[in-house]
């Protein structure tokens, strides 16, 4: 199973339901609400996102903030995986 950061941030209920299905554990409405409410409560109690006030703002940020000097390293070490997962276009 592949779970992306983007899916967790943009579609938390759907993504958590998929994860529970994959794990073979309860994915009832009550369980999803409990999981997501716990997450919301932690956020409200100060467990804020480290690099941004809103985690949605961090989606795709690596493309904007990545130092140009890192591009050859990405090309060399992670291009295939990044392309496979949709983070980079095929050559």
């Amino acid at each position: 199973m592949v779970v992306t950061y983007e899916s967790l941030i943009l579609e938390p209920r759907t993504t958590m339901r998929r994860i529970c299905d994959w794990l073979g554990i309860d994915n009832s409405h009550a369980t999803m609400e409990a999981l997501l409410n716990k997450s919301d409560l932690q956020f409200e109690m100060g467990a804020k996102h480290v690099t941004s006030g809103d985690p949605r703002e961090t989606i795709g940020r690596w493309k904007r903030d990545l130092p140009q000097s890192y591009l050859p390293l990405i090309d060399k070490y992670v291009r295939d995986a990044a392309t496979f997962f949709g983070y980079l276009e095929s050559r």
Side-chain angles (χ1 to χ4, degrees):
M1 163 172 239
V2 174
V3 177
T4 64
Y5 174 77
E6 294 83 356
S7 67
L8 281 170
I9 297 302
L10 298 175
E11 300 175 335
R13 283 175 176 73
T14 301
T15 304
M16 290 304 299
R17 190 173 305 279
R18 282 183 46 236
I19 292 169
C20 289
D21 282 344
W22 189 79
L23 292 171
I25 61 176
D26 179 29
N27 71 351
S28 67
H29 179 75
T31 299
M32 294 300 104
E33 291 305 308
L35 286 169
L36 295 169
N37 287 338
K38 181 167 177 54
S39 174
D40 289 343
L41 179 62
Q42 288 176 344
F43 183 78
E44 290 170 11
M45 294 177 67
K48 295 183 179 174
H49 196 273
V50 175
T51 61
S52 157
D54 182 348
R56 290 173 292 203
E57 294 173 3
T58 66
I59 293 173
R61 193 185 72 208
W62 69 273
K63 290 180 183 179
R64 297 184 303 272
D65 295 350
L66 186 73
Q68 293 295 308
S69 62
Y70 288 18
L71 293 177
L73 297 172
I74 287 177
D75 196 53
K76 181 176 181 178
Y77 294 108
V78 298
R79 173 167 275 292
D80 290 343
T83 301
F84 178 81
F85 290 111
Y87 294 105
L88 294 174
E89 293 181 16
S90 301
R91 291 186 208 181

